[in-house]
Structure formats: structure tokens, C-alpha cells
Amino acid sequence: MDINNLVSQLTLEEKAGLCSGLDFWLTKAVERLNIPSVMLSDGPHGLRKQKSEGDHLGINESIEAVCFPAGCAVASSFDRDLIKSMGEALGDECQAEDVSVILGPAVNIKRSPLCGRNFEYFSEDPYLAAEMATNHIHGVQSKNVGTSLKHYLANNQEHRRMTASSEVDERTLREIYLAAFEGAVKNAKPWTVMCSYNKINGVYASENPYFLTEVLRNEWNFDGYVVSDWGAVNDRVEGLKAGLDLEMPGSRGINDSKIVKAVKEGTLDETILDTAVARILKKVFQYTDNKTTGTVFDKEKHHELAHKIESESLVLLKNDGVLPLNPVDSIAFIGSFADKPRYQGGGSSHINAFKTTSALEAVKAIAKVTYAPGYEVKKDTIDENLVLEAVKAAKASRIAVIFAGLPDAFESEGYDRTHMSLPDCQNYLIDRICEVQPNTVVVLHNGSPVEMPWINKVKGVIEAYLGGQAVGSAVVNALFGKINPSGKLAETFPLRLEDNPSYINFPGANDMVEYKEGVFVGYRYYDKKKMEVLFPFGFGLSYTTFSYSNLQLHTGKTINSDGDDNLITIRDTDTITVTVDITNTGAVSGKEIAQLYVSPQKDTVIRPVKELKGFAKIYLEPGETKTVSFTLNKRAFAYYNTVIKDWHVESGDYDILIGKSSRDIVCSKTLNIESTVRIPKKYTLNSTFGDLLADPRAKGVIEPLIAGYTLGLVGDSGNLDDVLGEGTEAMMAAMFQDMPLRAIVSFGNGAIKEEDILGILDMINSVN
Ligand code: BGC
């Protein structure tokens, strides 16, 4: 298909029309040129295809489909293949339903536990988010269906999401917020990227040339089309110029006419319009030309897949020997969520699940349990009758399993949470049950962290997140040990909301939210502050145990292996492979998620203590050992340097840490890295002696200057301490460290002149 030729045959009006939707979900057709209309639908963890009245809030009916676990759950699997299989299933459903693009995955960083949409997002860590998104996209697009990586950019709250400006500094954007998108765009080439509603540093994401064109296209080579979030367009013509190709939904022709007018008046170059149309048509035809006709999907098979994905995503947060349960024990299931689980969030991702499996239903195949609802999901009021009934059931059993979590009204697209608590009636119920039942397990259904005031009273906790339509069977299998939980947290659970780094600046004020915590998001903050948390990033237990050994670094030849602790130096351009052996030291088979963090020992810039740069999930039989391997390149060690506008690795020592979680590092090796990049530095009269002494090029010139000055103070005999008193030497050294060059002119009694200093500066600067 010669797209450019096709574009050349379109009228101006037709071209403007193609840049906005026909309705809520369809692009426009141009019949005379055989340009078809194609559909886009939500996403991300199921297909929300609407046949009649469309909406972007999940209000009106959509077709029956399969609700897979939401992003919060599937990210906890840390399993690239697993999320890819979910993507493949979604791709098949789209093919069967003739949907050209499924709107997702969503990689926004979980800046605050309060963001109403955290359940759709993957992580507080950009590397993990990018890895999950990459594989989601690979899966969907392997079926010739497009994805829409969203919501680009810095859309980390729902509060005033359509008008607020996210104020974020350049380094933080690069290292945290852009990084999640960057990895997915570069690795997986999504067909489309969806720009977000908000502004970034004062400019709407939908008309931001820097992010839509310079970064996305020029730097990352994105070659699909950019679609607006539904209703995100502010100024259509500016948007087009900035790189926003498709406006969704349509504006009933209003914005199309603005485009036509701007071209006619000469304020919009028609070639910009042509480019946008070409980008959209390329993907429209990529879909229609490769359409697999007659694709049907087996709903039941996809239900089983949803079950499998949730089974691999469950996080066992606490187990004081109470789990797995024995089916012959007397067990009470308590809590309405046992009967009607909360398995997805509210808003545009809301799927019309063709069926759901509750724990109460699933447990029938394994054990006999008693059941008491304990609370009403929709009311946050204590119902003493329900509590009493539940207490009675718990008391009469040897074990109580309480199904708790957040009701729909507590978290949804469109608004943020105001606190991090479970409904009071549920916390109360848990307390009351614990009074009569020492063997209490809590199963949680929530899209984002909750405080657990009862954590020391219960013996077990399983975090099921919003686990999709098959959550009940996955949870029951984990409770009874039919599966071994293997998920780990993709986010930190702080002890209290106030501990979160964004607390003071969330959700901002006056239509502005300042990301003042900078790069210190999630564990990057809690680690730096050495704070206690409820559960750390990367944490999750298993019914078996794992041990790690034989950590090795390889650069072609093995280096720095056990017993050989000579520090090895590589250059920042080298790639390094890290291997470690993991053994299942317990009695049952299971999966372990090994995490690799990089920790700079010393830096002149302020950096997180450590950052996730690799992870691997492996299955091990009891007694079995396998080697996992990670590859690290320059980026794994780098921070974003705003002077050179590039990633930079400072020369120095870096620890490679292997952990079971971010707080359970089991082995480490140190590596020395030499930078091949010199950051140009221009010194001035206000540069300090300390800065100059730290620069090998300047040191040799500056030292004699200092020596000359001290000589002037003490004469040519003795040292400072002898002549001027004990401690003067140290005091002088400290003073010079922070003293600007200009000061020596006034302190030097006229012996050192400004011209001399300027001459020295010229000399040093000319070497740069
Ligand atoms: C959401 C998007 C969604 C779109 C279409 C918007 O409100 O932010 O994530 O894809 O609606 O439903």
C-alpha cells in the first residue's frame, strides 16, 4: 500500500476528518478511496467493546468478554512470558471482535498509593513497568492488533486530571516517568501511544512538541500514531503541530474545521496534516491488510488463562505456619468478597466478565467451609448482627479466612483515594475475629496498598489485588497449597500514608502538582531514608525456601567470582553478564523471583541507594538448582545528566546486589566502572577550590596557589598548626574546600590579583 500516494488523493477536508474519530470508538472511512473505518477499544486487561452507546467511564454495556487480572496483580507476577500470554489472548479477542487497537497497557508510575487508577498501573519502578508493558505489547501485537501505550505523560493522579499541570524536573522525568514509556516504545514498538489529559510543566500533553515529537519520535524512533486520551484535546491545531495525530472521540467536526481553516489561512503547514494522516492510515491498513478472518476465541480457555495468571500473581505477605490449609480442618470463610470478589476496578477498564469464580464456589471442590458475610460491601457501617454471626462462625472453626478489600467506591478512575485504610467495618470485623480465633488469614482484594492495623494479630495474609474473573479459584488453590504463591510486590506498602514521599504534594493545589520528591519515588525514597515499611518492594513469601550462591560477573571471561575478590574495572560502554545459582531448599516445588539492583557506592549527584535493573522468575523442584542470568549495559549504572542531556555513568565503584526483595539482599559483588565521557565544565571566579581540586586537570594549577597563600601566612618555616595553633591546618583545608576562587584575591593581601586568577581560569577552561 502506497500510503503517501493515497494521502495525495485526499481532499483537505477528508484529511482533517481522518484525524478525528467518527464516534466514540471508530476512525472515519473514505469510501471513494477504500479507506476503511476501524475500531479502538479499552483495555488494558480485557476487551471493553461497546456496540451501542459509547462512553469512556465504563458506564454503558459492553460485550461479554474475559476480565484478566488488572495491572496491579499481573505486575506482581514479575513474569514476562505470562503477561505476554495475556496479550496474545487479548489480541485473539480483538481479532474475533474486529478491534484494531486495544487501549493499553498503562505504564504510569505509582507515585502515590492514593491514585485512583493505580490498579491499572504496574509499578512504582519504571524498569519493571517497562518490562511488563513490553511483553503485554509483544503479545497483543503478535496477533496483528495494535496497542496504545498510555497515558503519556506524568499522569499519576485522577484529581483534576484534565487540567492540572504535573511539575516535574528533567532528571526525574527521564529517570522515572519517561523511562517506563521509553523501555516499552523502544523494545516493543506499540502501534499507538495515547497522550494523557494533564499538562506537563504547563503545556498540555496533547500539544507538547517536546514529548510528542522530540522525545517520542526523534529520540525513541516511535513510528506509530499518537492518539489523544478521550477528550484530551485542548487546541487541535497546536496539537497537530506538536505531534498528536488522532483525536478521540470525534469533535463533531468542530476541530476538523479548525484544521481546514488553519491550512487555508497558512497557519498550519499542510504537510504536517499529511504526515499525521499517513501515520494513522499506515496502522489502519496494517490491521485490515493482516486481518485474520473467522478468528474465534474460546472463552473458557481464556478464563483458565485468567486463573493461571492470577495464580502466578498472588503475593503471600505473611505466613506464620498457618498456610497452606488442610482441607479436613474446620474452616470458616468470612467476608462478602468470598462470595462476590472484587476482581476489577471502575472506569474505562471495566470489563463485562462473562463469568466469575468466587472463592466460596471454588472451595467446594476442595473442602467444606462455613460462610458468614461479616460486612456489607457497599456500606461502610458496622452491622453488629453480621459481625456476631461471623464471630460465631470463626469461633466454631479451627481457622478463619477473612476476605477483605476495597469496595468499588473506594478506588476508581476519575478520583483518588483520600486515605489508605480499608473500610472501618472491615478493620473492625478483622479485630473481632482475631479476638476469638488465633488462626486467622486475611485475603485482600484491592488495587493499591492499604494500611493493616491488625497485621500482628493475623497469622497469614494473601494479597490477591484485583485478580480478574477467576480470582476465587486462584486464591483457593493458594490457600490449600494446590499452587505455591510466587508473586512479589511491585510496589512498597508503607506503614502509613504520611510516610509516602509524595504525601505533602499530592494531589497538589491550584491545578498544579509539584513532584518535589524528584527521583525518590517508592523504595527509592524509603531506602534513602532508611525507613521501616509494612512490606517492601519486591517482597513475597513462598511455601518453600530458596538459597542463592555463586554470584558471578562476566565480561567475556569470568570475573569477580566467589573466592576472587579482585576488583574488576570495565568501561561504561561494556556489557556485563551477572549469573547466580538459586536452589529450592524446601520440600515443595515453587517459583522464585530473583531481583538485581545496582547501587553506586559514591556519586557526586544525589542518587537512590539502589535501583532495580534486572529480574528473573524461575521454577524449581525441591533440591533443584538453576542458574539465572542478567545482562547489564551502560544504562543500568547511569543517571540522567541534564548538562550533557544524556545518560551518564560516573567513574567509580558500583555494587551489584541480588535480592529476594529490595530489603533482603542475599549476595553482592562490586565492580569498578570507568567513564568514557567527560562532562565539559567551565570554571568561573565563583567555582570553589574544592571543585577545582577534584578535577585532575585543575588540581596541579590550584595546589601551588593554595601553597603560596599559606606560605604568606606562616612564612617559609613551620606548618600551619605549629605557627597558628592546633587545628588550623584542618580548618584551612575545610575553608578552601568551599571557598570561591575570587575570595583569595581579597584574603591574599594583594599578593594574588584577579588578573592572575582569570589567567589561570582561561588556562584550565581551555583544556576542557
Ligand atoms: C481513559 C483511557 C481510556 C479512554 C477510553 C479515558 O477516560 O483515561 O484510559 O482508554 O477513556 O475509554
Side-chain angles (χ1 to χ4, degrees):
M1 171 75 58
D2 184 346
I3 299 282
N4 290 337
N5 181 33
L6 194 59
V7 173
S8 70
Q9 296 174 55
L10 288 161
T11 65
L12 175 59
E13 288 69 19
E14 283 169 338
K15 287 190 285 193
L18 283 170
C19 290
S20 68
L22 173 69
D23 61 12
F24 231 84
W25 303 117
L26 292 168
T27 62
K28 293 196 189 90
V30 178
E31 272 156 30
R32 69 177 186 91
L33 293 173
N34 293 325
I35 294 175
S37 159
V38 295
M39 181 173 260
L40 297 85
S41 283
D42 284 305
H45 49 263
L47 184 57
R48 187 174 71 96
K49 176 179 169 179
Q50 294 184 311
K51 278 199 167 134
S52 53
E53 197 62 17
D55 72 273
H56 64 300
L57 300 169
I59 298 169
N60 295 315
E61 186 83 342
S62 55
I63 58 155
E64 279 194 349
V66 181
C67 180
F68 291 95
C72 55
V74 72
S76 316
S77 74
F78 280 69
D79 191 326
R80 296 173 177 92
D81 294 338
L82 194 69
I83 192 165
K84 185 165 173 238
S85 68
M86 177 172 129
E88 286 162 356
L90 291 171
D92 280 340
E93 293 190 23
C94 287
Q95 280 290 354
E97 290 293 340
D98 203 6
V99 170
S100 74
V101 169
I102 183 162
L103 304 174
V107 280
N108 299 90
I109 294 293
K110 301 185 191 207
R111 174 176 177 249
S112 163
L114 297 185
C115 172
R117 247 180 138 171
N118 274 358
F119 69 87
E120 270 184 78
Y121 302 150
F122 293 123
S123 180
E124 66 189 24
D125 181 86
Y127 173 75
L128 176 56
E131 287 297 294
M132 298 316 281
T134 294
N135 290 284
H136 177 124
I137 296 167
H138 278 319
V140 174
Q141 295 190 173
S142 70
K143 303 292 180 173
N144 279 315
V145 169
T147 53
S148 197
L149 185 66
K150 66 188 187 182
H151 310 85
Y152 185 66
L153 172 76
N155 176 196
N156 309 95
Q157 64 187 50
E158 292 300 283
H159 177 78
R160 299 183 75 96
R161 65 172 172 163
M162 297 185 83
T163 51
S165 177
S166 300
E167 302 285 311
V168 202
D169 68 82
E170 189 183 2
R171 186 180 150 210
T172 301
L173 277 170
R174 289 289 180 170
E175 290 186 23
I176 307 289
Y177 298 97
L178 282 166
F181 288 92
E182 180 186 3
V185 168
K186 286 182 172 168
N187 300 334
K189 296 196 167 300
W191 286 17
T192 83
V193 165
M194 185 192 292
C195 74
S196 57
Y197 287 123
N198 54 292
K199 296 176 193 153
I200 307 133
N201 297 327
V203 182
Y204 272 109
S206 61
E207 56 195 50
N208 202 314
Y210 178 67
F211 296 113
L212 293 185
T213 297
E214 260 184 75
V215 174
L216 185 61
R217 292 191 187 277
N218 301 350
E219 284 186 32
W220 302 346
N221 295 322
F222 171 66
D223 65 356
Y225 66 81
V226 174
V227 57
S228 70
D229 198 345
W230 268 233
V233 169
N234 171 54
D235 181 324
R236 185 61 186 105
V237 174
E238 285 310 307
L240 206 56
K241 286 184 195 163
L244 168 62
D245 306 302
L246 178 64
E247 172 183 15
M248 286 303 282
S251 63
R252 296 179 208 280
I254 298 168
N255 280 337
D256 304 355
S257 343
K258 285 186 187 166
I259 294 174
V260 171
K261 188 165 171 261
V263 172
K264 285 187 175 157
E265 286 175 355
T267 50
L268 174 69
D269 186 342
E270 194 165 351
T271 58
I272 292 176
L273 177 62
D274 291 351
T275 306
V277 174
R279 286 174 185 151
I280 297 166
L281 291 185
K282 203 172 129 201
K283 292 301 173 192
V284 167
F285 284 106
Q286 186 168 347
Y287 172 70
T288 52
D289 287 353
N290 298 293
K291 172 108 197 73
T292 41
T293 43
T295 312
V296 278
F297 70 94
D298 183 336
K299 276 190 195 159
E300 290 296 338
K301 277 222 167 90
H302 285 193
H303 179 84
E304 277 166 36
L305 180 62
H307 163 87
K308 178 171 183 261
I309 294 170
E310 176 62 355
S311 303
E312 308 266 327
S313 304
L314 294 167
V315 189
L316 180 59
L317 289 177
K318 179 167 182 175
N319 185 15
D320 284 352
V322 69
L323 294 171
L325 305 176
N326 185 342
V328 300
D329 255 335
S330 61
I331 299 166
F333 273 15
I334 289 165
S336 297
F337 283 146
D339 185 25
K340 292 203 168 49
R342 177 150 179 268
Y343 60 94
Q344 64 173 327
S348 61
S349 68
H350 203 270
I351 305 305
N352 182 7
F354 83 92
K355 73 169 185 184
T356 55
T357 313
S358 72
L360 215 46
E361 195 183 311
V363 77
K364 286 182 193 152
I366 297 180
K368 267 208 164 71
V369 301
T370 53
Y371 169 65
Y375 58 85
E376 263 190 74
V377 175
K378 288 196 174 144
K379 290 193 201 142
D380 187 8
T381 45
I382 295 162
D383 182 327
E384 282 295 349
N385 288 333
L386 289 180
V387 174
L388 280 177
E389 183 199 0
V391 167
K392 209 168 135 202
K395 207 171 172 181
S397 311
R398 210 185 71 76
I399 287 152
V401 183
I402 305 175
F403 292 77
L406 297 174
D408 277 331
F410 271 54
E411 55 178 354
S412 165
E413 178 176 345
Y415 55 89
D416 299 312
R417 289 195 290 167
T418 52
H419 58 76
M420 223 177 74
S421 314
L422 287 174
D424 289 342
C425 64
Q426 293 190 29
N427 279 332
Y428 176 77
L429 175 74
I430 297 172
D431 277 344
R432 291 289 304 275
I433 300 291
C434 288
E435 281 168 16
V436 299
Q437 179 50 265
N439 299 315
T440 298
V441 174
V442 174
V443 175
L444 287 168
H445 296 81
N446 47 308
S448 200
V450 291
E451 286 164 7
M452 301 184 200
W454 33 258
I455 189 69
N456 295 324
K457 297 182 194 165
V458 302
K459 286 218 171 124
V461 179
I462 292 181
E463 178 54 83
Y465 278 113
L466 301 184
Q469 65 180 53
V471 64
S473 50
V475 164
V476 164
N477 282 356
L479 284 171
F480 289 90
K482 302 250 172 231
I483 57 150
N484 186 352
S486 62
K488 297 205 182 189
L489 293 178
E491 62 190 327
T492 309
F493 276 47
L495 282 170
R496 4 168 261 154
L497 175 65
E498 292 80 355
D499 291 349
N500 179 262
S502 75
Y503 177 71
I504 294 173
N505 293 292
F506 185 95
N510 302 322
D511 251 353
M512 195 184 268
V513 48
E514 297 183 78
Y515 288 39
K516 287 198 171 171
E517 66 285 356
V519 299
F520 294 97
V521 176
Y523 69 88
R524 287 167 169 78
Y525 176 79
Y526 302 114
D527 280 1
K528 194 83 174 175
K529 299 257 323 219
K530 297 194 169 83
M531 282 169 78
E532 206 191 316
V533 295
L534 181 57
F535 294 108
F537 176 84
F539 175 80
L541 301 168
S542 165
Y543 294 150
T544 187
T545 48
F546 301 98
S547 76
Y548 288 64
S549 60
N550 195 26
L551 172 60
Q552 292 189 6
L553 312 183
H554 313 257
T555 53
K557 64 182 174 60
T558 302
I559 57 166
N560 216 8
S561 61
D562 277 340
D564 168 13
D565 277 333
N566 295 332
L567 189 62
I568 297 297
T569 297
I570 61 164
R571 287 192 304 184
D572 59 4
T573 44
D574 293 339
T575 297
I576 176 161
T577 306
V578 179
T579 56
V580 66
D581 296 346
I582 308 179
T583 305
N584 181 344
T585 47
V588 291
S589 59
K591 288 188 175 176
E592 169 68 331
I593 300 164
Q595 299 153 47
L596 185 152
Y597 297 87
V598 169
S599 171
Q601 281 193 359
K602 209 168 146 244
D603 250 306
T604 58
V605 288
I606 298 164
R607 292 186 69 173
V609 176
K610 60 176 174 303
E611 296 181 274
L612 184 76
K613 297 296 172 185
F615 61 84
K617 189 166 190 175
I618 47 151
Y619 173 82
L620 293 165
E621 292 288 345
E624 193 183 4
T625 300
K626 278 184 193 156
T627 305
V628 294
S629 145
F630 312 87
T631 306
L632 302 177
N633 56 24
K634 176 176 176 179
R635 185 66 180 266
F637 301 94
Y639 73 96
Y640 189 80
N641 186 296
T642 53
V643 174
I644 57 169
K645 306 257 175 242
D646 201 358
W647 297 89
H648 181 64
V649 180
E650 288 199 308
S651 295
D653 291 347
Y654 291 78
D655 291 332
I656 312 277
L657 312 174
I658 302 292
K660 292 180 177 179
S661 83
S662 62
R663 288 277 169 102
D664 188 3
I665 303 301
V666 287
C667 43
S668 70
K669 292 282 179 201
T670 304
L671 182 69
N672 180 265
I673 307 186
E674 247 172 38
S675 173
T676 55
V677 176
R678 180 131 56 73
I679 311 262
K681 236 185 191 169
K682 284 278 173 239
Y683 295 105
T684 67
L685 283 172
N686 278 324
S687 301
T688 66
F689 280 89
D691 288 348
L692 286 143
L693 287 171
D695 185 334
R697 288 162 308 131
K699 196 168 183 253
V701 187
I702 290 302
E703 269 174 348
L705 205 64
I706 300 174
Y709 174 75
T710 40
L711 205 65
L713 291 179
V714 295
D716 58 3
S717 65
N719 67 29
L720 286 171
D721 282 3
D722 292 342
V723 179
L724 299 175
E726 188 71 28
T728 315
E729 181 103 32
M731 186 266 283
M732 198 64 91
M735 196 193 70
F736 265 109
Q737 183 67 25
D738 295 341
M739 191 169 92
L741 286 185
R742 67 177 150 72
I744 205 167
V745 177
S746 29
F747 292 148
N749 292 335
I752 301 170
K753 300 204 171 49
E754 193 172 293
E755 305 91 82
D756 302 339
I757 305 281
L758 287 172
I760 289 173
L761 279 173
D762 275 352
M763 203 169 81
I764 300 170
N765 285 334
S766 66
V767 186
N768 265 309

